[in-house]
Amino acid sequence: MRKLAIVTGGARGIGRGCATALVKKGLDIAIVDMLSPEMARTKAELEALGARVEVFEADVSDFARAGEVVAGVMAAFGRIDVLVNNAGRGNPAGILEITEESYDRTIAVNLKSCFNYIHHAAPHMLAGGGGRIVSMSSLNAHSGGVTSAVSKFSYAAAKAGIIGMTRALAKELGPTIAINAICPGVIETELGNSLTKARGPELMKGIALGRLGTPQDVGELVCFLATVEPNFITGQNFIIDGFQWVC
Ligand SMILES: NC(=O)c1ccc[n+]([C@@H]2O[C@H](COP(=O)([O-])OP(=O)(O)OC[C@H]3O[C@@H](n4cnc5c(N)ncnc54)[C@H](O)[C@@H]3O)[C@@H](O)[C@H]2O)c1
């Protein structure tokens, strides 16, 4: 029986990299995203690799919609083995100019979204006897970002929240479910590109491996945490940044 992974924000970028790596390991995929044309394109790409793929249009910050999506996934596939909480977005506003609405939106899309999908998916994973959850934090959770970053304190706060949530839920959901967080440095995607366009050459000089990351780099790490057997890893956060010392 093929396993099933939900990948939020799977239409493009890092999410598409995660979905591709999981498909190559033999998993079927449920993509949750707001970008319909990109979702359709990614679905076709993944199907060409041999997977069954269903797409669910949803804003991940919407708790009730998360419940509907998870119910839809169970109706379609009958199981949830892996949840990748990847959807997220930056916020360039500093503390003195940010509005309350903008702050709330950053926390909702990056952090509450993880709660929304874990809350609805975990009961099915527990009933199924096991599961893996991987949530996308950021190097910013550790570094705080920099003044020129596309993502400032509200993003760093949300991403640091994911690390705390991951540690606490590893205790609550273990030993049946393993849950970990990933902290990417600069990855070449639509989101990452807005930062690299401005500071690309300077950034690359400060990365030990001499290049920016790719969605495939992150996808392979997510896939490892989602599928490795036997598994003795939970409650951790993994920095994947080529060792970047200029943040
Ligand atoms: N690219 C980087 O350098 C980098 C670094 C560290 C962490 N991250 C994190 O990795 C994750 C993926 O980023 P990316 O670079 O691939 O970004 P991206 O913008 O290329 O892709 C993000 C995907 O998430 C979807 N999404 C965004 N908000 C959503 C919402 N409210 N509901 C449903 N879907 C939504 C988008 O439609 C898009 O398909 C994010 O959580 C981001 O914060 C990225």
Side-chain angles (χ1 to χ4, degrees):
M1 188 90 172
R2 288 173 69 91
K3 290 188 172 182
L4 182 278
I6 297 176
V7 182
T8 72
R12 69 179 193 190
I14 291 173
R16 185 174 54 198
C18 296
T20 304
L22 289 164
V23 164
K24 288 179 178 171
K25 274 275 178 189
L27 278 79
D28 290 329
I29 305 290
I31 299 176
V32 185
D33 209 296
M34 297 196 302
L35 302 174
S36 287
E38 283 88 341
M39 269 202 286
R41 203 178 314 137
T42 301
K43 174 177 158 69
E45 276 173 24
L46 298 175
E47 285 172 342
L49 296 173
R52 180 179 168 203
V53 181
E54 299 293 338
V55 298
F56 296 84
E57 196 167 331
D59 179 337
V60 291
S61 68
D62 184 332
F63 179 79
R65 181 71 187 126
E68 291 169 4
V69 167
V70 168
V73 171
M74 286 304 293
F77 294 93
R79 60 189 297 154
I80 299 171
D81 301 283
V82 173
L83 167 63
V84 181
N85 289 308
N86 163 78
R89 53 177 255 177
N91 189 332
I95 185 70
L96 299 182
E97 68 260 18
I98 199 167
T99 62
E100 181 186 10
E101 188 190 16
S102 173
Y103 177 83
D104 286 347
R105 180 75 184 144
T106 305
I107 301 296
V109 172
N110 290 286
L111 180 59
K112 187 185 173 215
S113 58
C114 298
F115 156 67
N116 290 344
Y117 280 82
I118 295 168
H119 177 80
H120 290 295
H124 299 293
M125 291 177 157
L126 292 168
R132 307 277 177 90
I133 300 171
V134 185
S135 299
M136 208 55 69
S137 178
S138 170
L139 186 61
N140 276 28
H142 296 276
S143 70
V146 284
T147 47
S148 61
V150 287
S151 302
K152 293 204 179 116
F153 80 100
S154 59
Y155 178 80
K159 294 302 192 183
I162 289 176
I163 294 173
M165 185 186 287
T166 298
R167 288 194 190 286
L169 290 183
K171 295 177 182 176
E172 271 192 51
L173 297 174
T176 313
I177 297 175
I179 173 167
N180 291 287
I182 307 282
C183 300
V186 183
I187 309 299
E188 287 186 285
T189 67
E190 284 82 349
L191 183 73
N193 283 349
S194 53
L195 174 61
T196 50
K197 262 187 207 127
R199 300 185 59 216
E202 182 198 346
L203 281 172
M204 264 191 264
K205 272 189 250 155
I207 297 175
L209 291 184
R211 65 174 177 85
L212 305 178
T214 65
Q216 189 188 355
D217 290 324
V218 182
E220 291 299 329
L221 177 57
V222 168
C223 186
F224 174 82
L225 292 170
T227 62
V228 68
E229 291 289 353
N231 177 54
F232 197 48
I233 307 171
T234 195
Q236 304 306 309
N237 68 94
F238 295 88
I239 293 175
I240 175 165
D241 67 347
F243 191 25
Q244 178 185 336
W245 65 85
V246 178
C247 297

